Amino acid sequence: MGRVTTGTTAVPASPQAGSREPVVTDHVTDGPHGDLRVRVYEPAPGVERRAGLVWAHGGAFMHGDLDMHEADGVARSLARHGVVVASVDYRLCPPIDYRAPGAAAAQAPDAVRFPVASEELTSAFGWARDAGFGVVPERWSIGGASAGGNLAAGVSLRLRDAGGPQPRSVVLAYPVAHDGLPEPRPELAAKLATLAPERNFPPEAVRALNANYLGHEGPATSPYAFPGGQDLRGLPPTFVLNSDHDALRSSGEAYAAELAAAGVDVLLVREDGTYHGHLNQPDDPGCARSLARIAAWLTTDALVGTAHEPPTA
């Protein structure tokens, strides 16, 4: 998989004896767009390695890093349950004020756009699966939160179409799966009407974010940019975890329904009482509940189905 250098992160990489804290190392791989950093969280010595997960944080395609709780906190929690987590530092789009009226894609020379982050996450999955870190290749899943959920869902389509090794499963936390948000159900619309502006993602704001990710207004030309509404047959079992008071829930729910209609085994959960990005809110009880659900999905075979027949030509 190319050049790999390894070093410890700023936190101790060697936990004390008897600790369940993970061993954390930074790796630099030869990604498709240059050096790609991947932070690997391995379970503490003595903890069984039960599964692997390649994980992408959220941040509207333009924010976020490996130190945020949605990356570091998620990975540490899962590693304590025996999951090796490879957290990917994918390249980000230029920032915009997506809540401003008439917001549009940033006009920046050499700006990162689709498909850069999507291709980087694809590369990281192949690297982690091949490296193994004590997990057999068939036990590796891929996942992400919010924009990272979009990337993970798109990569699952890429891997299916490439005809190579598939993830064991896909984990999507409050993903933006569609180019435009589906109409919310009345129950969700009533909750969104009570949200403070900084907590809400109205359709025009999501359109601006998506245009910034693509680099242009209008629909995407690739099915891997927004997998909602695409041919989803033959994808791996998928866990869709939505926040409760969240405009993006309409996309997560619609995508789960599309998966089921395509014959994909899917688990859909709405974490009661939570807001968008709740995996980045460690003091929210819903964060701990969701992390326990993800750990159970990754390590308990009875929860996960199987990948069924691929699409026919």
Side-chain angles (χ1 to χ4, degrees), residues 13-16 18-24 42-45 76 79-80:
S14 298
Q16 296 179 350
S19 170
R20 290 185 65 89
E21 286 305 301
V23 177
V24 186
E42 298 179 71
R76 289 179 182 276
R80 295 185 193 108

Side-chain angles (χ1 to χ4, degrees), residues 71-245:
D72 183 72
V74 168
R76 289 179 182 276
S77 176
L78 295 176
R80 295 185 193 108
H81 288 84
V83 181
V84 177
V85 181
S87 185
V88 183
D89 192 24
Y90 60 88
R91 284 169 169 77
L92 301 175
C93 298
I96 61 168
D97 182 2
Y98 59 92
R99 299 184 190 278
Q107 300 302 311
D110 303 320
V112 172
R113 307 290 189 189
F114 174 83
V116 170
S118 176
E119 292 175 347
E120 289 187 324
L121 192 61
T122 305
S123 173
F125 177 78
W127 173 80
R129 189 181 187 276
D130 289 346
F133 298 100
V135 177
V136 297
E138 296 76 20
R139 298 291 301 178
W140 278 89
S141 294
I142 193 166
S146 194
N150 165 285
L151 297 176
V155 169
S156 72
L157 267 68
R158 284 186 182 276
L159 294 172
R160 178 202 65 185
D161 293 350
Q166 303 293 297
R168 172 70 181 94
S169 72
V170 182
V171 179
L172 307 177
Y174 36 86
V176 52
H178 297 81
D179 202 355
L181 283 183
E183 189 72 20
R185 296 185 291 108
E187 168 270 330
L188 176 56
K191 289 178 176 175
L192 298 180
T194 68
L195 290 181
E198 63 270 17
R199 284 193 180 273
N200 202 5
F201 293 87
E204 58 272 19
V206 174
R207 281 195 295 270
L209 285 173
N210 292 350
N212 191 50
Y213 173 52
L214 295 173
H216 62 79
E217 302 287 341
T221 58
S222 167
Y224 310 132
F226 294 96
Q230 307 299 332
D231 180 359
L232 305 180
R233 292 174 295 168
L235 289 180
T238 301
F239 177 20
V240 181
L241 172 72
N242 288 322
S243 302
D244 186 8
H245 302 257

